[in-house]
């Protein structure tokens, strides 16, 4: 497969995964005249609702993966926990961007951290843990407090356990037994920031403005843009994201989550080779959204401008908001500069990402105040 091949409008994009990220990519793709097929083990999915074709099969079903790859021109991902083997099967029949190698690195915390360390990029001290003895050794090496994280299939703080000084390590390990894990030093950061970078088939890159992220219960809560950091810090964050994309030889989109320390040092926390929740503001606030940019990158097209039109903020709408019934959408829309995005999920569950609100403002801080106020207005009795 020609690694620089261009796929023009009219081509078919195959999306592995079928959640809200695939949905927003599919909407961008359809707007630009592409056809879209989505592949996942689920039916009636957020992506399926806006795709031309929704394929429901296991990622391990080789015949189904190959049949899907024959139907599309280029496959990309909206979620990185797809077996690398499935990607290799697909790659015999169509272009796959980003490559299986990128997925292999980013779907496994330990591999990702080892890759970053080898590349000489900054990250919190960590140690591999495969047994209780290794956990004890890792605690000696990394120090406490620390956080024990599963090596695979972790997101939104799932599969994480904070280990404090004096903790019972036998009990801690019992919760991870049988799974590879990573012990990471607990860092006291001053801010969490992220940079989304796109890299095309020709190696050209474009980065979105640096995002400032606030988490609640390990899940992203509010992103405001531009991050209130010194220009020199923003430039370093952007340079780090570009360095990661280059080292991965990425074709596609990559989110790099980082911790900004009080002394100005930046540590890389996590990579996601796909659109990212912290980049949703770009749908309304940038000349090109992260989803259109992903499409352009994986189709071999020139990248679009990532210029921020106005300061903006995004607030997630989790299933928790539905605890007293359907939120009162009209209330948020009384704010004329607020945009509502819902992902078409019909079962709200605690912690499940159901949608988001986006607000503009004269500054990122004011946009964040507006988006929080708009979110509060959805459930007037809740406070
Ligand atoms: P992760 O799933 O690794 O991105 O972790 C989710 C969230 O947990 C992060 O965004 C941080 O707020 C927090 N967190 C994770 N690792 C650390 C760490 N080593 N030190 C402090 N906070 C952390």
């Amino acid at each position: 497969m020609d690694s620089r091949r261009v796929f023009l409008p009219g081509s078919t994009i195959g999306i592995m995964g079928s959640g809200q990220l695939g949905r927003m990519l599919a909407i961008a793709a359809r707007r630009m005249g592409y056809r879209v097929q989505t592949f996942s083990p689920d039916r009636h999915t957020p992506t399926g609702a806006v795709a031309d074709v929704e394929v429901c099969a296991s990622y391990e079903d080789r015949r189904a993966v190959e049949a899907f790859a024959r139907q599309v021109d280029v496959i990309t991902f909206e979620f990185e926990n797809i077996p690398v083997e499935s990607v290799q099967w697909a790659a015999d029949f169509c272009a796959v961007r980003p490559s299986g190698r990128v997925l292999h690195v980013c779907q496994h915390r330990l591999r990702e951290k080892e890759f970053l360390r080898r590349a000489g990029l900054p990250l919190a001290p960590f140690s591999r843990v495969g047994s209780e003895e290794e956990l004890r050794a890792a605690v000696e090496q990394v120090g406490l407090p620390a956080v024990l994280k599963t090596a695979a299939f972790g997101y939104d703080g799932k599969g994480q356990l904070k280990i404090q000084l004096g903790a019972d390590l036998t009990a801690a390990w019992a919760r991870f037994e049988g799974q590879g894990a990573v012990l990471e030093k607990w860092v006291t950061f001053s801010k969490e920031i992220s940079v989304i970078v796109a890299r095309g088939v020709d190696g050209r890159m474009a980065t979105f403005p640096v995002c400032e992220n606030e988490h609640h219960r390990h899940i992203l809560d509010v992103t405001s843009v531009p991050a209130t950091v010194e220009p020199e810090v923003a430039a370093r964050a952007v340079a780090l994201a570009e360095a990661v994309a280059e080292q991965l030889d990425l074709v596609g989109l990559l989110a790099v989550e980082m911790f900004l320390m009080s002394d100005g040092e930046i540590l890389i926390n996590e990579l996601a080779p796909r659109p990212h929740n912290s980049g949703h503001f770009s749908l309304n606030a940038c000349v090109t959204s992260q989803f259109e940019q992903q499409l352009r990158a994986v189709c071999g097209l020139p990248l679009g401008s990532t210029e921020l039109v106005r300061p903006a903020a995004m607030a997630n709408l989790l299933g928790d908001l539905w605890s007293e019934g359907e939120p009162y959408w009209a209330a948020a829309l009384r704010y004329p500069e607020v945009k509502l995005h819902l992902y078409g999920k019909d079962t709200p569950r605690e912690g499940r990402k159901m949608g988001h609100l986006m607000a503009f403002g004269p500054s990122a801080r004011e946009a964040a105040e507006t988006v929080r106020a708009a979110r509060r207005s959805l459930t007037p009795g809740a406070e």
Side-chain angles (χ1 to χ4, degrees):
M1 191 67 58
D2 175 1
S3 66
R4 289 199 167 210
R5 187 151 166 216
V6 174
F7 300 99
L8 292 170
S11 309
T12 303
I13 312 296
I15 305 176
M16 289 283 210
S18 59
Q20 65 269 18
L21 302 177
R23 176 186 180 92
M24 292 182 268
L25 168 62
I27 292 170
R30 290 189 70 145
R31 179 172 52 76
M32 285 175 62
Y34 286 88
R35 294 173 207 286
V36 178
Q37 300 203 12
T38 174
F39 185 110
S40 84
D42 305 313
R43 265 182 226 286
H44 308 302
T45 61
T47 311
V50 298
D52 296 271
V53 178
E54 179 181 48
V55 177
C56 174
S58 158
Y59 296 122
E60 278 90 26
D61 180 343
R62 181 167 188 162
R63 281 176 56 182
V65 170
E66 290 182 352
F68 180 69
R70 280 199 199 92
Q71 295 296 315
V72 304
D73 295 297
V74 54
I75 284 182
T76 192
F77 311 93
E78 67 106 48
F79 139 95
E80 58 272 30
N81 291 326
I82 312 258
V84 171
E85 218 183 8
S86 316
V87 176
Q88 285 157 350
W89 298 332
D92 287 339
F93 300 95
C94 68
V96 178
R97 297 175 182 163
S99 67
R101 175 181 169 259
V102 172
L103 220 57
H104 184 69
V105 170
C106 298
Q107 68 185 194
H108 190 271
R109 226 183 265 280
L110 182 64
R111 274 201 293 271
E112 183 174 292
K113 288 182 184 298
E114 285 174 342
F115 156 79
L116 291 169
R117 183 151 70 186
R118 265 198 312 277
L121 295 164
L123 71 170
F126 71 93
S127 194
R128 149 207 299 261
V129 179
S131 65
E132 191 184 324
E133 294 68 54
E134 282 181 11
L135 176 59
R136 289 181 190 284
V139 164
E140 285 300 308
Q141 198 196 324
V142 166
L144 291 179
V147 52
L148 189 60
K149 301 180 176 180
T150 51
F153 299 108
Y155 66 97
D156 284 349
K158 292 192 171 70
Q160 299 198 8
L161 180 67
K162 190 168 174 187
I163 303 190
Q164 304 279 12
L165 220 62
D168 177 348
L169 297 182
T170 305
W173 182 246
R175 292 177 54 177
F176 281 73
E177 192 77 75
Q179 301 178 61
V182 179
L183 186 77
E184 189 182 313
K185 189 173 177 61
W186 187 259
V187 294
T188 34
F189 48 78
S190 65
K191 278 181 200 302
E192 290 191 75
I193 57 176
S194 57
V195 177
I196 295 169
V197 54
R199 188 167 179 272
V201 290
D202 55 2
R204 288 204 191 158
M205 292 190 273
T207 53
F208 285 88
V210 180
C211 307
E212 185 166 332
N213 301 320
E214 290 169 68
H215 291 78
H216 182 60
R217 287 188 283 138
H218 294 283
I219 302 177
L220 182 63
D221 186 38
V222 172
T223 294
S224 35
V225 194
T228 46
V229 297
E230 296 296 324
E232 175 276 321
V233 170
R236 263 191 297 127
V238 164
L240 278 178
E242 289 179 344
V244 177
E246 233 160 39
Q247 292 280 339
L248 282 171
D249 198 16
L250 173 83
V251 174
L253 202 74
L254 173 81
V256 183
E257 290 182 57
M258 308 172 198
F259 298 133
L260 174 62
M261 310 300 286
S262 50
D263 63 358
E265 192 188 2
I266 299 174
L267 302 175
I268 296 177
N269 173 32
E270 220 176 17
L271 310 178
R274 52 164 170 80
H276 192 254
N277 194 171
S278 65
H280 290 355
F281 75 93
S282 64
L283 272 170
N284 300 106
C286 288
V287 172
T288 308
S289 77
Q290 62 168 344
F291 301 100
E292 180 180 333
Q293 198 77 306
Q294 177 188 24
L295 178 76
R296 287 171 176 245
V298 304
C299 288
L301 295 172
L303 301 178
S305 160
T306 54
E307 186 191 341
L308 183 68
V309 180
R310 284 175 61 197
M314 183 275 332
N316 270 332
L317 304 175
L318 301 185
D320 316 46
L321 271 183
W322 274 249
S323 61
E324 303 291 319
E326 189 76 10
Y328 184 54
W329 303 118
L333 298 174
R334 277 196 207 111
Y335 293 78
E337 300 216 314
V338 164
K339 304 285 179 196
L340 171 66
H341 296 256
L342 289 172
Y343 307 146
K345 298 181 182 178
D346 39 41
T347 328
R349 282 192 298 271
E350 210 182 290
R352 187 173 197 209
K353 291 174 181 170
M354 303 294 289
H356 68 268
L357 292 176
M358 209 295 299
F360 291 102
S363 69
R365 190 181 51 77
E366 286 157 287
E369 278 167 18
T370 304
V371 85
R372 284 181 202 277
R375 186 173 58 182
R376 280 195 302 275
S377 75
L378 293 171
T379 51
E383 284 112 83

